[in-house]
Amino acid sequence: MCIAIPGKISKITGESRAEVDFGGVFREVSLDLLGGASEVNVGDHVLVHVGYAISVITEEEARLTLESFDLILAAQDESL
């Protein structure tokens, strides 16, 4: 199973690179699969898998995804 994590673009760092904020953890990711930096803007939310932004999503989609992850983790903690 593969999981993509939502993050928010905080800075464009090159023609095909951006810094993405994952809740206070910043990582540089590739924008190659989205067509490069010209296809996104600072403030956009993206799904990132293994260092590649694979999709631009809405802020609402990002929030719902993170909430789902929180529910899964909480359920896992309860089962331990």
Side-chain angles (χ1 to χ4, degrees), residues 11-70:
K11 183 188 319 180
I12 304 295
T13 60
E15 289 183 26
S16 64
R17 309 285 298 168
E19 180 182 82
V20 176
D21 178 4
F22 298 96
V25 176
F26 294 83
R27 295 286 185 256
E28 191 164 306
V29 303
S30 172
L31 301 173
D32 286 333
L33 298 176
L34 299 180
S38 63
E39 300 299 316
V40 296
N41 298 298
V42 170
D44 283 352
H45 288 80
V46 291
L47 284 177
V48 178
H49 176 65
V50 294
Y52 287 86
I54 60 172
S55 180
V56 177
I57 61 174
T58 66
E59 183 176 0
E60 176 74 0
E61 289 171 312
R63 183 184 63 74
L64 290 172
T65 301
L66 292 172
E67 286 177 359
S68 295
F69 288 159
D70 288 342

